[in-house]
Amino acid sequence: MAQILVRDIPDDVKEKLRRNAETHGRSLEAEVRDVLTREPEHKPELRKMTSAELVEKLVAVSKANPIPDDVWAEFEANLKQVRTRARARPVRLDK
């Protein structure tokens, strides 16, 4: 079996792994091994969808969880500010 040494892991990440290991009744090493070998948590049916089917599903989800009007208005206002500040300037190649 292979071994890996990982340096500079943030303290909060290590602490979360340690707590999870304790909750699962295993060592930190066993917890990390489980995390690294676990299957991705996304649903398999999403991987098989065409882009049109995925868009349809996203629209259905967004209709079930609509964005409040005040949040949407704030987003649009912020987007407008970004667009007006980030205008491209013409490039002069004759210099």
Side-chain angles (χ1 to χ4, degrees), residues 8-9 11 14 18 34 36-37 42 46 50-51 56 58-60 62 65 67 70 75 82 84 91:
D8 299 325
I9 296 174
D11 291 336
K14 182 184 176 206
R18 188 197 63 73
D34 179 65
L36 293 173
T37 57
H42 56 277
L46 294 179
T50 65
S51 58
E56 186 177 310
L58 291 171
V59 167
S62 67
N65 302 295
I67 298 171
D70 59 328
F75 169 77
V82 168
T84 57
V91 177

Side-chain angles (χ1 to χ4, degrees), residues 37-92:
T37 57
R38 190 180 306 152
E39 284 292 315
E41 293 182 17
H42 56 277
K43 297 181 180 177
E45 67 268 11
L46 294 179
R47 284 185 264 158
K48 298 175 185 173
M49 288 183 162
T50 65
S51 58
E53 291 169 330
L54 185 56
V55 167
E56 186 177 310
K57 186 169 187 76
L58 291 171
V59 167
V61 168
S62 67
K63 285 181 180 174
N65 302 295
I67 298 171
D69 291 338
D70 59 328
V71 173
W72 186 251
E74 182 181 355
F75 169 77
E76 286 182 320
N78 289 336
L79 183 60
K80 188 175 184 177
Q81 284 181 350
V82 168
R83 286 183 174 157
T84 57
R85 280 191 240 145
R87 293 201 184 263
R89 287 182 256 148
V91 177
R92 297 201 48 176

